[in-house]
Amino acid sequence: FSASLVAAPADVSLLEGRTSSLWLYNGLLPGPVVDVREGDRVRIAVENRLPLDTTVHWHGLPVPADQDGSPMDPVPPGATRIYEFDLPAGTAGTYWYHPHAHRTTAQQVSMGLAAPFIVRAANDPLAHVPEVTMLVTGIRLDAGGQVSPGTAMDFTVGRQGEQLLVNGGRLPVHGVRPGSTQRWRILNATSARYLRLALDGHAFTLVGTDGGLLGAPVGPLSEVLVAPAQRVELVVTVSATPGARFTLRAQRHAIDAMGMGTYAGEDLLTIATTAESPVAPLAIPATLRPVASLGPAVARKRVTLTQSGMGMMAGAGSFLIDGRPFDMDRVDYVSRVGDVEDWEIVNRTMMDHPIHVHGTQFQLASRGSGGLAVPAPYAAWIDTVDVPSGTTATIRMRQDMPGKRMVHCHILEHEDAGMMAVLEVRP
C-alpha cells in the first residue's frame, strides 16, 4: 500500500459567509482514510507544508520505533518524510493518525490534522455487517471564524468549548433503512473530550476496542464511554419505525474534582430512518476473535500521575509523570523485547487521564481504588487506558520491537505541557 500525505494550510467554509484557515492532510477534514489489510507493507510519504515541525504518529499500530512519528523524529517545514512498516497478522482494528510534534501536538490536532487508519482481517466474523466510520473531532472558532489558540485553562483541564464534528460535519444526518444493523467504528480524535455516548431509544453492542474485536460481544449497553484517543466498534440495530429520528449524543461528563473539566451534553448526529419497509436485523456471532492471554508477567512497573502547584489552577505543566516533566534526552523506564510486564498506573491528581503507550496493544488487568482491585470485566486489546482521579489501573503489556517509545496522557494539552515519559525497549 502506497500513498502520499501533504500537511498544509487550507481554507474551509465552516460558518456561513466565513472562511476558516485550518491545517489539513490533502486538504480534507478529516484527512483521507487509510484502509489496508493485515500483511500489507505500508509506505506513506508525508510532505510538511506547515510553518512548524510536524510528524505523523500511527496511533496504536505496532510499527518500528523509527517509523512511529515520535517527537524525537521531527519533519521540518518543506521536508518530506517516508514512513514504511508492515502490518502483521492479528493487527486488524480501528486506528488513527495524527501529528506528534514536540509541544505542538494539541495545536496541530485542533487545527484539523487527524484521520482514521483501518486495518482489515482476511477472516472478519462481522464482514456481513455494513460499516460506518465516525471520526469525532472538536473545533473552537473565534468571532472571526478562525481556530482560537489554546488558553491557560485549556492547558490545565484540556481544551474547552469545542463544538464536536463527525467526519468534519456539524450535526450530520445519517439516513438508515428501518431495522438495519450496522457496525459503527467510532474514533475519539478530540484533544480532551470524553465521549459518553448514548443513542435515543437504542442499545449498543460493543464488539471491538482500540486494537480490534473482542472475544465475544458485550451488551446490550445503554451508554459507552470513549476517552480521548480511544476507539470502539459498536453494532447497532436501528428502530424498525420508518420516518423516525434519533439523536446520538455525548452526554454530560465530569473529568475533574473541581468541575472545571466538566463537559455539557452535546448532540453528535441524527439517525433518520427512511420511508422504506423495515429489514430484518442481522445476527451477530456469539464469538468474534480470540483475545490471547499474554501469560504471566516477569516484571512490574509503577507509574504515578502527579500534580504540581496549588490544585487545578497551577496552570500549564501542573500535571506530570512520577513528578517530572517530559525530557526527550532522559530515559524514564526500561523494558526488554518480549518481556511481559504489569504496569500499575496510579492517578494522584484531581483529574482523569487517558494514558497511551506507543508501540503495542496491551490489556487492562484490573482497576482499583482504596486498596480494592477489581479484575477487568472482559479481555480486550487497547492502547489507551483511562485512569480516573484517585484510582489505579493495572495493564499487562509486551513490547516486541526495540527503541524509544512515548508514554503520555492523551489530553493533548497535558502531553504538550510535559505529561509524557520515555520508555526504552532494549533487545
Side-chain angles (χ1 to χ4, degrees), residues 168-189:
R170 177 75 182 138
L171 297 175
V173 176
H174 177 53
V176 183
R177 186 167 179 175
S180 295
T181 303
Q182 294 189 333
R183 174 187 188 175
W184 294 355
R185 296 180 185 260
I186 300 179
L187 304 89
N188 185 346

Side-chain angles (χ1 to χ4, degrees), residues 147-398:
V147 176
S148 60
T151 66
M153 181 63 86
D154 293 341
F155 279 91
T156 303
V157 291
R159 192 166 172 89
Q160 300 285 299
E162 291 189 311
Q163 287 195 310
L164 296 177
L165 307 179
V166 179
N167 298 337
R170 177 75 182 138
L171 297 175
V173 176
H174 177 53
V176 183
R177 186 167 179 175
S180 295
T181 303
Q182 294 189 333
R183 174 187 188 175
W184 294 355
R185 296 180 185 260
I186 300 179
L187 304 89
N188 185 346
T190 68
S191 283
R193 175 70 187 255
Y194 282 67
L195 303 175
R196 191 162 67 94
L197 301 173
L199 176 64
D200 291 344
H202 291 73
F204 300 125
T205 300
L206 179 69
V207 294
T209 47
D210 300 343
L213 295 179
L214 304 177
V218 174
L221 303 171
S222 59
E223 61 181 52
V224 173
L225 182 64
V226 189
Q230 289 183 332
R231 290 84 64 208
V232 291
E233 294 186 48
L234 304 175
V235 170
V236 179
T237 296
V238 175
S239 166
T241 305
R245 293 170 81 86
F246 305 94
T247 302
L248 177 68
R249 61 171 51 92
Q251 302 176 105
R252 177 183 173 86
H253 187 68
I255 60 166
D256 73 284
M258 295 175 68
M260 291 186 295
T262 298
Y263 292 86
E266 187 172 345
D267 294 349
L268 281 171
L269 59 76
T270 298
I271 302 295
T273 57
T274 64
E276 300 166 278
S277 57
V279 291
L282 298 176
I284 302 302
T287 57
L288 298 171
R289 181 188 72 171
V291 178
S293 166
L294 287 169
V298 299
R300 292 185 70 86
K301 286 184 170 59
R302 186 180 175 95
V303 176
T304 306
L305 312 181
T306 55
Q307 190 169 334
S308 67
M310 292 299 292
M312 294 293 293
M313 295 313 291
S318 60
F319 295 110
L320 307 168
I321 294 180
D322 294 333
R324 301 193 291 189
F326 174 61
D327 178 353
M328 67 171 73
D329 296 321
R330 183 186 69 227
V331 171
D332 299 288
Y333 312 109
V334 175
S335 297
R336 299 212 170 269
V337 167
D339 278 3
V340 176
E341 299 185 336
D342 279 351
W343 285 41
E344 194 178 47
I345 305 172
V346 184
N347 186 351
R348 292 205 173 129
T349 78
M350 300 171 73
M351 270 194 79
D352 302 359
H353 298 284
I355 300 299
H356 173 47
V357 183
H358 288 209
T360 191
Q361 294 285 319
F362 49 81
Q363 295 178 12
L364 176 67
S366 64
R367 292 187 179 278
S369 62
L372 296 173
V374 178
Y378 48 83
W381 292 114
I382 59 174
D383 53 54
T384 306
V385 61
D386 185 40
V387 190
S389 173
T391 72
T392 297
T394 300
I395 60 174
R396 184 159 290 184
M397 177 166 57
R398 186 185 70 222

Side-chain angles (χ1 to χ4, degrees), residues 36-39 88-93 119-129 131 183 185 207 212-215 233 285 287-290:
V36 291
R37 302 186 76 83
E38 290 179 345
T91 52
V119 182
R120 301 187 183 277
N123 55 343
D124 183 347
L126 297 175
H128 64 294
V129 182
E131 272 186 34
R183 174 187 188 175
R185 296 180 185 260
V207 294
L213 295 179
L214 304 177
E233 294 186 48
T287 57
L288 298 171
R289 181 188 72 171

